[in-house]
Amino acid sequence: MMPELDGVETFSYMQSMQENRCKDTPVIVLTANAIIGAKEQYMQIGFTDYLSKPIDSHRLENLIVEQLALHNIHVEPIELSGNNSEVYGEKNHEALQELPQVEGFDWEYGLLHFLNAQMLWESVEDFYNGCESAVAELDLLYQDISGPKGIDAYRIKVHALKSNLALIGAMQASALAGILEYAARDGKEERLRHLHGVLMEEVEACRQNLSVHMQPLEKKPNMTDRAWILGMLSMLCADAENLDYDGIDQIMQMLEGYAYEETLQVRIDQLAASVRNLDLDTSIAICEQMKDILEKGKAAT
């Protein structure tokens, strides 16, 4: 599901634009909707051609080659076997032997999206390294589902998480994220509140299951200097109020260079997520919360 408009709505809007110079550009629909009759429905809407997910890159390239040929641009097509076994069969059997068994991950499905096991594993490593940050970002949006940005911002983020999980074969977690995406789309806030925590636990379980197969990241030094942290937060707030994005990024990089005690670390992760989203109001609010925590801790000592 795309943000704001789905693919069909976007295509219809493109066709209705009076000044659209690309109105006659061929558009191929890539969709998870593989039910009988789906292709005919999309073609009736006006799409040039149809390809169901998971996307076979060779077939996609050949569809593009066909469209180029219709415009007198000739490119050699890619040869495909009748049953496409080279892409989805024997090749994947060998690649599966290169990957460790990890609970919660279907490597056979993951390999549908990559040329080899190495490329899949590199994406798994990217997911693992960014997992905590992505979870903190989604959790921050969850806390504001009744706020001004509301449930739609959550829907967009959980859709991205769903797609990333499916890409690497984490199908159970992806399916759960999909349930939450459609709950957000339909405005079912109570269902979101019931299942959000379950999704967070499932994604964390995926991360933990991967951890034994990952190289440990370089350990960050601990930061316990309250005055330094307070100074950084005050400068970040000032930069946010002045819309100084370069200054915000520099301070955030400095803050993320250290490890903190648990209460502060959670808020540092949330602060980093709000900065990435360019949500300056939330960034300032988190800074103020952290400053209160630090001031109270300082007074207690």
Side-chain angles (χ1 to χ4, degrees):
M1 187 184 298
M2 295 162 58
E4 304 299 336
L5 302 176
D6 64 23
V8 173
E9 291 169 331
T10 301
F11 177 76
S12 298
Y13 181 69
M14 288 166 55
Q15 298 302 105
S16 68
M17 293 170 62
Q18 297 297 323
E19 302 295 325
N20 183 9
R21 296 181 179 179
C22 299
K23 190 173 181 179
D24 297 323
T25 300
V27 180
I28 299 171
V29 59
L30 310 178
T31 176
N33 183 7
I35 62 173
I36 296 174
K39 179 174 181 176
E40 289 72 19
Q41 291 175 8
Y42 287 119
M43 300 293 276
Q44 287 175 5
I45 291 169
F47 287 100
T48 306
D49 217 319
Y50 161 97
L51 196 61
S52 62
K53 296 179 181 178
I55 302 304
D56 176 347
S57 61
H58 291 171
R59 292 195 182 281
L60 175 58
E61 288 178 25
N62 279 346
L63 284 179
I64 295 171
V65 167
E66 289 176 12
Q67 292 304 315
L68 290 173
L70 291 174
H71 291 78
N72 296 318
I73 302 172
H74 297 287
V75 181
E76 285 298 318
I78 297 170
E79 290 187 14
L80 292 174
S81 58
N83 60 6
N84 208 17
S85 62
E86 181 185 357
V87 179
Y88 296 135
E90 292 88 346
K91 186 184 89 169
N92 282 357
H93 178 74
E94 185 175 326
L96 284 170
Q97 312 309 312
E98 302 175 29
L99 296 163
Q101 289 189 346
V102 182
E103 184 178 352
F105 290 83
D106 180 350
W107 298 140
E108 190 167 357
Y109 184 85
L111 283 166
L112 295 177
H113 308 104
F114 297 93
L115 292 176
N116 52 51
Q118 180 181 349
M119 291 178 66
L120 169 56
W121 191 250
E122 286 173 357
S123 290
V124 171
E125 289 178 327
D126 288 342
F127 164 79
Y128 177 81
N129 292 331
C131 183
E132 289 180 296
S133 176
V135 165
E137 198 169 335
L138 185 62
D139 205 39
L140 195 62
L141 291 171
Y142 168 74
Q143 293 173 27
D144 193 42
I145 58 172
S146 299
K149 290 193 173 181
I151 208 166
D152 202 47
Y154 181 92
R155 174 185 65 81
I156 293 169
K157 189 64 184 178
V158 81
H159 166 76
L161 180 61
K162 178 196 75 172
S163 299
N164 289 337
L165 288 164
L167 187 70
I168 59 174
M171 301 312 298
Q172 183 169 315
S174 178
L176 187 52
I179 292 172
L180 283 161
E181 176 190 0
Y182 288 111
R185 180 199 64 182
D186 298 335
K188 296 179 179 178
E189 190 172 318
E190 190 59 35
R191 173 172 274 195
L192 281 181
R193 296 193 184 281
H194 181 66
L195 292 176
H196 173 78
V198 181
L199 174 62
M200 296 295 95
E201 291 175 4
E202 185 66 29
V203 174
E204 175 59 18
C206 288
R207 193 186 73 82
Q208 290 291 340
N209 291 341
L210 286 170
S211 63
V212 296
H213 304 285
M214 296 293 169
Q215 293 290 334
L217 296 175
E218 184 178 345
K219 190 174 181 181
K220 297 178 182 178
N222 291 322
M223 172 52 69
T224 57
D225 186 339
R226 286 192 175 92
W228 183 86
I229 302 172
L230 281 166
M232 290 293 106
L233 295 174
S234 296
M235 286 192 289
L236 196 150
C237 282
D239 285 344
E241 290 168 355
N242 293 322
L243 303 180
D244 182 356
Y245 293 101
D246 289 338
I248 294 169
D249 286 342
Q250 289 175 8
I251 294 168
M252 198 66 243
Q253 287 177 15
M254 293 174 69
L255 285 168
E256 287 190 294
Y258 295 93
Y260 304 85
E261 56 91 6
E262 186 175 356
T263 304
L264 284 180
Q265 187 64 62
V266 170
R267 284 172 171 78
I268 286 286
D269 291 340
Q270 292 177 340
L271 179 60
S274 65
V275 166
R276 277 192 295 274
N277 283 334
L278 303 180
D279 187 347
L280 300 187
D281 290 338
T282 300
S283 298
I284 292 171
I286 294 172
C287 283
E288 295 299 336
Q289 291 173 7
M290 294 175 66
K291 286 160 72 174
D292 287 342
I293 292 171
L294 292 163
E295 291 290 359
K296 288 176 182 176
K298 186 178 179 181
T301 58

